[in-house]
Amino acid sequence: MRSPLLNKLSLICGRRLPVSWLVLCFTSVLVLIAVFGSSFPKSFDYVTVTPVPEIYSNYRRLKEQTAVDYFQLRTVSSGAGRQGELGLCGKERENYVPCYNVTANVLLGFKDGEEFDRHCEVSSQGKFCLVRPPKDYKIPLRWPAGRDVIWTGNVKITKDQFLSSGSITKRMMLLEENQIAFHSQDGLIFDGVKDYSRQIAEMMGLGSDSEFFQAGVRTVLDIGCGFGSFGAHLVSLKLTALCVAAYEATGSQVQIALERGLPAMIGNFISRQLPYPSLSFDMVHCAQCGIVWDKKEGMFLIEFDRLLKPGGYFVITSPISKPPGRATSSKKRSIKNNEVPLCKEGYDTPYYQTLMPCIIGASSKRWIPIQNKSSSPDLSSVELEVHGKYCVSPEDFFEDLQVWKLALKNYWSLLTPLIFSDHPKRPGDEDPLPPFNMVRNVMDMNAHYGGLNAAFLEEMKSVWVMNVVPVRARNTLPLILDRGFPGVFHDWCEPFPTYPRTYDLLHANGLLSHLTSERCSLVELFVEMDRILRPEGWVVLSDKLGAIELARAHATQVRWDARVIDVQNEDDVWAALAMQETLKNEHGGRGGLLV
């Protein structure tokens, strides 16, 4: 027997009430509740959402759509949605990198190489605008094809610059109309990169470079990496080398390395330390990197010593025309004559601090003998103890890993229909293998323990992650580096040291809430994120509802398409927001919504 309510509804809708009408009525009721709720801005802060099993997929989609509608209504009622879109920058800013204005630095009196350093304190943003891609920009080839072939229109290197480069560079690169092809067998040393890597292994007492990992080499810092040949080879050995090179106005090493899908960032230590903690790398590599060791009384060598772990390897090559060992012996004499002291205990604040004439002692508790190291990123309890109970407890560490395994599956499930858009994939199918993966360069803007990076590895996704630890957050970067992941300190009130269009996916968990207590402007943050994000790239933010609300408004300003993809109820109400960058042009082209 039908209920009286259904009988009354049937009089309105007809003798037989379709299921679709019931769904429509249910949705309308929820929207009406949201409309009335928008009159009381604080009321939503107390809404609780009960977790719903995945089997109720239709209900889940309705709930997500209702959350989206609610956010839109709140945004309109608060007036935030009325902010206009930002304009596009001029053509001269196609490769704009804030904080690196060499001409202005010279006028301000910086010299002896310091004019190429990062000077955010004198950098002026001026009127906000969105950096547009070059006219000939094309979406990079999918990994791994994109490692060996890039579009010349995507990087700031001209044909004349290529032709005027040295013979080694020419052997490594071939210019073919609108492409540059890299050949992994050539380039770094006359016998090829593989031969060069094997020679390094033999000097370390190893049988081959495939034994690097077993010998304790897991984190590699490649200074002045050229166009990434050595780093590309290490990828085949399951090792990740982070390339650091000085800012270059044209033909940048860092820009090309990132375009190939290799970890890289702008970094220079003429006058300041690199933004990494002490004792962070198992190998520091410098192949003809152009550093003049005789300058500054050995300070550059002291900085390398600071970054190397005890027992680590410092690999340096120099042109054959120079007498081998000359610079090194000069450096040793300088250090002995000056009797460089040990640094004071507790000295480790390397966020672009002035180079210090002291050396880190080898008695650090962070050093663990190779036989006690884990063979995976899941650190043992002994390794976790090194970082202290105030940094991480074993319980928190392993719980964090489980949380990000589940989160990544959810993200990937939602993103898959679009990032694999040219590959037919039915629900339940396995993800397609490369070259169909459109995501390669990932940045975790608030990396915590590096759990997202670990989840990517466990799921065998062909990505690498730049793990960023905000300078005023808990210092977990030593732990991240000890897991073998690339990572860096950064102040998100400042621009990130990279070129435009260098990341496919930006992720931030809790970053917006963290920055609300800082001096940062969220508009500046979103403009910076837009600068470093590739066209058709993705941003996934998870944060408190108030922060996500602001993020939706700013997403409109930078011309992103945004969609709330999840609402959770734990200790506090959180939401996740996915946004897609578009290939901006004079007409403000748009992309598709994530549904």
Side-chain angles (χ1 to χ4, degrees):
M1 178 178 291
R2 293 196 301 179
S3 69
L5 177 61
L6 285 178
N7 285 328
K8 289 181 180 180
L9 288 173
S10 65
L11 291 175
I12 300 172
C13 303
R15 291 181 60 88
R16 299 188 62 184
L17 187 65
V19 174
S20 60
W21 275 95
L22 286 173
V23 173
L24 179 60
C25 292
F26 175 71
T27 306
S28 300
V29 170
L30 291 176
V31 172
L32 285 172
I33 292 172
V35 170
F36 288 112
S38 65
S39 303
F40 305 92
K42 302 238 179 197
S43 62
F44 196 46
D45 296 337
Y46 300 96
V47 172
T48 57
V49 183
T50 304
V52 181
E54 288 294 324
I55 57 174
Y56 298 108
S57 57
N58 290 335
Y59 174 77
R60 184 185 178 202
R61 287 181 62 85
L62 283 172
K63 183 181 72 170
E64 291 174 355
Q65 184 60 52
T66 302
V68 171
D69 295 338
Y70 187 86
F71 268 102
Q72 290 172 340
L73 288 166
R74 279 179 59 94
T75 302
V76 171
S77 66
S78 65
R82 289 191 285 269
Q83 299 181 56
E85 293 181 345
L86 296 174
L88 300 179
C89 302
K91 188 177 185 301
E92 71 281 357
R93 284 202 171 193
E94 286 177 355
N95 291 282
Y96 173 61
V97 181
C99 305
Y100 290 93
N101 189 330
V102 178
T103 303
N105 292 340
V106 171
L107 293 175
L108 289 169
F110 292 104
K111 58 183 180 179
D112 296 329
E114 292 186 22
E115 65 271 22
F116 296 99
D117 272 351
R118 182 175 183 269
H119 296 286
C120 291
E121 68 279 6
V122 298
S123 177
S124 177
Q125 171 68 36
K127 185 179 179 181
F128 292 126
C129 62
L130 306 177
V131 174
R132 73 176 85 192
K135 180 181 177 181
D136 298 328
Y137 183 85
K138 294 184 179 182
I139 302 300
L141 299 176
R142 295 165 181 81
W143 181 268
R147 176 191 59 199
D148 300 321
V149 179
I150 66 174
W151 303 108
T152 52
N154 291 10
V155 294
K156 196 172 183 180
I157 183 170
T158 66
K159 184 176 181 180
D160 290 339
Q161 290 167 348
F162 172 79
L163 294 175
S164 63
S165 60
S167 59
I168 292 179
T169 305
K170 288 180 182 177
R171 290 192 64 212
M172 183 178 65
M173 304 163 61
L174 292 177
L175 194 66
E176 300 173 357
E177 295 183 1
N178 60 350
Q179 293 181 340
I180 299 176
F182 298 83
H183 297 277
S184 58
Q185 294 297 320
D186 299 323
L188 192 61
I189 294 297
F190 296 106
D191 292 330
V193 177
K194 286 187 177 180
D195 234 19
Y196 171 73
S197 184
R198 177 186 56 78
Q199 292 175 35
I200 294 174
E202 289 176 352
M203 287 189 287
M204 293 167 56
L206 306 177
S208 71
D209 56 4
S210 63
E211 298 176 12
F212 277 154
F213 190 87
Q214 290 86 342
V217 177
R218 302 177 188 182
T219 52
V220 179
L221 185 66
D222 195 2
I223 305 290
C225 58
F227 298 129
S229 291
F230 186 58
H233 174 66
L234 291 181
V235 168
S236 66
L237 303 177
K238 309 299 183 185
L239 293 175
T240 302
L242 175 58
C243 164
V244 173
Y247 169 75
E248 300 166 88
T250 58
S252 167
Q253 304 170 65
V254 169
Q255 188 184 37
I256 291 179
L258 285 164
E259 191 68 21
R260 299 183 65 188
L262 303 171
M265 62 175 285
I266 301 171
N268 202 0
F269 49 98
I270 293 294
S271 61
R272 301 181 184 182
Q273 295 176 346
L274 291 170
Y276 316 113
S278 303
L279 313 182
S280 293
F281 296 96
D282 302 305
M283 177 184 287
V284 174
H285 175 258
C286 166
Q288 301 183 28
C289 58
I291 295 175
V292 182
W293 300 106
D294 300 85
K295 284 191 174 182
K296 295 206 173 184
E297 296 296 316
M299 292 285 281
F300 301 149
L301 190 60
I302 291 174
E303 174 65 358
F304 273 155
D305 179 74
R306 182 185 73 83
L307 296 172
L308 266 179
K309 293 180 179 179
Y313 298 92
F314 177 29
V315 179
I316 177 172
T317 66
S318 60
I320 297 176
S321 58
K322 291 185 178 181
R326 180 179 176 183
T328 305
S329 61
S330 168
K331 182 75 61 177
K332 287 180 178 177
R333 285 196 302 272
S334 175
I335 291 174
K336 285 183 180 181
N337 291 339
N338 291 331
E339 296 182 355
V340 180
L342 293 176
C343 297
K344 294 180 180 179
E345 189 174 352
Y347 163 74
D348 196 13
T349 55
Y351 187 67
Y352 298 107
Q353 296 294 316
T354 303
L355 290 173
M356 299 294 290
C358 63
I359 57 176
I360 300 292
S363 60
S364 170
K365 295 180 181 179
R366 271 191 59 204
W367 181 67
I368 297 178
I370 183 64
Q371 61 269 23
N372 295 339
K373 285 188 176 182
S374 300
S375 58
S376 74
D378 300 336
L379 301 181
S380 66
S381 57
V382 173
E383 290 172 297
L384 290 176
E385 285 178 7
V386 169
H387 297 278
K389 63 180 180 179
Y390 298 108
C391 176
V392 57
S393 68
E395 295 78 14
D396 287 345
F397 180 80
F398 294 114
E399 180 183 352
D400 180 76
L401 181 60
Q402 298 306 316
V403 166
W404 286 112
K405 284 181 184 177
L406 178 60
L408 178 62
K409 288 181 180 178
N410 289 337
Y411 292 160
W412 212 254
S413 174
L414 290 161
L415 292 172
T416 291
L418 293 169
I419 61 177
F420 301 112
S421 57
D422 60 349
H423 182 89
K425 180 179 183 296
R426 296 184 299 274
D429 287 353
E430 293 294 324
D431 288 341
L433 297 173
F436 295 103
N437 186 1
M438 293 173 67
V439 174
R440 172 62 183 171
N441 298 353
V442 177
M443 178 185 286
D444 194 348
M445 300 171 68
N446 190 17
H448 202 43
Y449 300 142
L452 181 65
N453 196 151
F456 271 119
L457 281 179
E458 183 153 320
E459 290 294 315
M460 293 187 291
K461 306 299 184 187
S462 56
V463 307
W464 69 271
V465 180
M466 177 66 82
N467 295 278
V468 181
V469 174
V471 290
R472 279 173 285 279
R474 184 168 47 163
N475 182 9
T476 55
L477 186 55
L479 183 150
I480 290 170
L481 291 165
D482 284 355
R483 299 182 79 176
F485 303 156
V488 64
F489 287 123
H490 185 62
D491 183 349
W492 280 115
C493 297
E494 301 172 351
F496 190 82
T498 190
Y499 291 82
R501 303 172 299 278
T502 45
Y503 285 89
D504 304 300
L505 173 65
L506 302 179
H507 174 266
N509 176 50
L511 179 66
L512 301 182
S513 294
H514 170 72
L515 293 181
T516 54
S517 61
E518 303 291 339
R519 68 186 191 281
C520 309
S521 160
L522 287 187
V523 176
E524 290 185 52
L525 176 67
F526 273 71
V527 170
E528 174 62 7
M529 291 165 66
D530 182 80
R531 184 184 71 87
I532 68 179
L533 189 65
R534 282 176 173 165
E536 299 189 12
W538 291 92
V539 179
V540 178
L541 303 178
S542 59
D543 218 307
K544 295 179 180 179
L545 289 176
I548 293 297
E549 213 177 305
L550 288 173
R552 281 178 58 84
H554 292 312
T556 301
Q557 286 186 278
V558 294
R559 311 187 189 193
W560 294 346
D561 290 314
R563 174 64 59 95
V564 177
I565 59 174
D566 195 16
V567 177
Q568 304 173 19
N569 177 36
E570 296 177 358
D571 296 334
D572 204 345
V573 182
W574 282 58
L577 179 69
M579 297 167 280
Q580 186 182 21
E581 160 74 297
T582 57
L583 186 56
K584 297 181 178 69
N585 52 42
E586 293 293 348
H587 305 291
R590 311 291 296 184
L593 283 173
L594 175 64
V595 294

